[in-house]
Amino acid sequence: MTTDRPFPSSVELVLGGHAMLVDTRAASPLALEAAVAAMAPATKAAITADLKCFLAWCKARRPVATAVPAEPETLVHYLHWLAKGSDIRAGAKPATLARRIASIARIHRILGFGGREPLPTQAGMVRDTLKGIRRKKRERQRQAAPLRLGEAMQEGQAPPEGVTVNALLASCGSDIIGLRDAALISLAYDAGLRVSELVGATVVDLSQFGDGSGRLEITHSKTDQLGEGALAWLSADTMVRLSAWLLASGIAHGPVFRRINVLTSPPDAAGQRLVRHYIGSKPLTRQGVVAILRRRVLEAVDLGLVELEPGMEGDTVRGLSAHSFRVGLTQDLFAAGEDGAGIALALRWSSPTTALRYARELAVGNNAAARVLGRLRGGGSQTPA
């Protein structure tokens, strides 16, 4: 789209590759460049993928004069195509459909179609189609299973069952891999980190205080795209685990959590193999964090640290993600009696409503109905475990 930069963005490349379907007469190259530069990396990747999908569908469909600006009827057909799926493609979930439409709307605005006329994505038939698909599927967006600490948050509570942070920590040995995994698990829970914040943590972001506790400076996050920064409190236990990992790995600067390459020599005359560990220089990826988490869950089960119903190991592992630490800490803080506003502030949620959504099952046991009717009809309200 622009001619003064040698490396156009992924969004510009997709638009340029489908120039016949995109009306750019009202577009300002400078506005497009500025809009793309303002996007967070994850947002840019999502919009690129969504735009590529829509334009490819329009190209394969006849007749479609232009994809942008789109006709509401075109968007309705596109939504039905996404939701239906095929033999090789599963039908998209309502949350995915909403995101695809939001990306299309944003591209329309960037290209100058957000003036006086309403966007095609705002047409009644498009909104009604989304509502109809959502009602038909009746599917609540899947929430990552929580990873709670594993201890009662208040007197009289029973500790949570299943996979817990304490069980995962107990599965970590004293070797270099165990030290890294324990530090990662402990930090992720204490600070309620998003996976991008976890893999983005560097040594210089860590500081320790006289009482043994520490702080993690979070320079960028999902809700802080301008980089104003935030501080997260870390327990003394987490600081001990971080210190052990950094000392053993020799990491003095750069990313805190990295891949560990394991090299094994051929067996010697006695059949022994020499195992060497090499610490990488680049940070762990999102996929790497999930792989570590799932491996630790299975090891905790094998060691008898976690009791699951027979055959539930696979479902349990699949239900966990890097976001599970954040969900688990949110639920633990609710169980301890903290309010939504305080939790949202501590975990950098965009609003207390978001925090409450992640603790819905715990909060319902202590809501107004539970407190009042519990006194009158028995089963009095208790702070949920």
Side-chain angles (χ1 to χ4, degrees):
M1 302 296 292
T2 58
T3 59
D4 57 341
R5 291 182 298 133
F7 302 109
S9 69
S10 57
V11 175
E12 293 170 285
L13 288 173
V14 173
L15 290 172
H18 296 80
M20 297 297 293
L21 292 172
V22 181
D23 183 356
T24 59
R25 288 176 295 179
S28 164
L30 188 60
L32 175 59
E33 179 182 340
V36 173
M39 294 178 187
T43 301
K44 188 187 303 181
I47 288 180
T48 300
D50 293 342
L51 182 61
K52 185 183 297 184
C53 177
F54 177 59
L55 292 177
W57 177 83
C58 289
K59 183 177 181 180
R61 178 181 169 81
R62 294 291 186 266
V64 173
T66 61
V68 181
E71 293 293 333
E73 292 84 355
T74 300
L75 296 177
V76 169
H77 289 304
Y78 178 57
L79 287 171
H80 283 304
W81 175 78
L82 288 172
K84 183 178 180 181
S86 66
D87 293 338
I88 60 175
R89 177 182 59 83
K93 298 179 180 179
T96 301
L97 299 179
R99 192 200 73 202
R100 298 247 192 225
I101 290 297
S103 294
I104 294 172
R106 188 160 184 177
I107 288 298
H108 275 71
R109 293 190 185 94
I110 291 173
L111 294 181
F113 297 108
R116 295 181 179 179
E117 295 295 326
L119 293 175
T121 54
Q122 298 171 330
M125 66 172 67
V126 176
R127 295 198 302 267
D128 289 343
T129 299
L130 279 172
K131 291 179 182 178
I133 293 173
R134 187 177 295 112
R135 182 174 290 109
K136 183 178 180 180
K137 293 201 172 187
R138 293 288 184 184
E139 182 177 292
R140 189 175 71 185
Q141 187 168 353
R142 186 176 68 89
Q143 173 180 301
L147 266 174
R148 299 180 61 186
L149 183 60
E151 298 179 11
M153 293 292 108
Q154 294 192 58
E155 185 178 354
Q157 294 179 357
E161 300 178 350
V163 182
T164 64
V165 170
N166 284 342
L168 297 183
L169 290 174
S171 75
C172 299
S174 58
D175 61 337
I176 190 72
I177 296 178
L179 293 176
R180 179 201 61 185
D181 293 358
L184 182 149
I185 291 167
S186 195
L187 176 66
Y189 173 80
D190 266 8
L193 295 179
R194 300 178 175 90
V195 66
S196 59
E197 298 166 351
L198 181 61
V199 299
T202 65
V203 176
V204 73
D205 297 331
L206 297 169
S207 57
Q208 190 165 14
F209 290 77
D211 63 354
S213 68
R215 304 291 186 273
L216 171 69
E217 183 178 2
I218 303 171
T219 55
H220 289 84
S221 69
K222 178 181 177 181
T223 55
D224 179 30
Q225 297 300 332
L226 298 180
E228 296 179 358
L231 287 174
W233 177 89
L234 304 177
S235 66
D237 179 72
T238 292
M239 294 307 299
V240 169
R241 295 182 186 279
L242 283 167
S243 297
W245 154 242
L246 294 175
L247 180 63
S249 63
I251 297 175
H253 54 80
V256 174
F257 300 112
R258 313 179 185 191
R259 180 175 179 177
I260 300 176
N261 299 305
V262 182
L263 296 180
T264 306
S265 67
D268 57 20
Q272 300 296 317
R273 297 177 182 269
L274 180 62
V275 178
R276 295 180 181 274
H277 297 92
Y278 295 91
I279 311 298
S281 59
K282 296 182 178 180
L284 283 173
T285 62
R286 177 189 301 266
Q287 293 78 11
V289 172
V290 174
I292 290 171
L293 170 59
R294 293 180 174 178
R295 185 180 70 249
R296 285 299 168 193
V297 172
L298 294 176
E299 291 183 3
V301 172
D302 290 341
L303 292 171
L305 300 168
V306 173
E307 294 185 4
L308 299 175
E309 294 182 14
M312 292 299 296
E313 293 85 352
D315 290 341
T316 299
V317 168
R318 285 188 293 271
L320 295 171
S321 72
H323 204 63
S324 294
F325 295 105
R326 188 168 171 81
V327 178
L329 177 59
T330 299
Q331 293 194 355
D332 276 344
L333 294 179
F334 266 107
E338 298 296 327
D339 61 29
I343 296 172
L345 180 63
L347 274 76
R348 307 164 304 285
W349 288 112
S350 56
S351 71
T353 302
T354 306
L356 182 61
R357 177 168 60 88
Y358 279 88
R360 184 185 293 110
E361 293 182 2
L362 295 178
V364 72
N366 200 38
N367 63 19
R371 290 194 300 271
V372 174
L373 298 183
R375 293 195 303 270
L376 301 175
R377 308 190 66 181
S381 171
Q382 294 181 355
T383 303

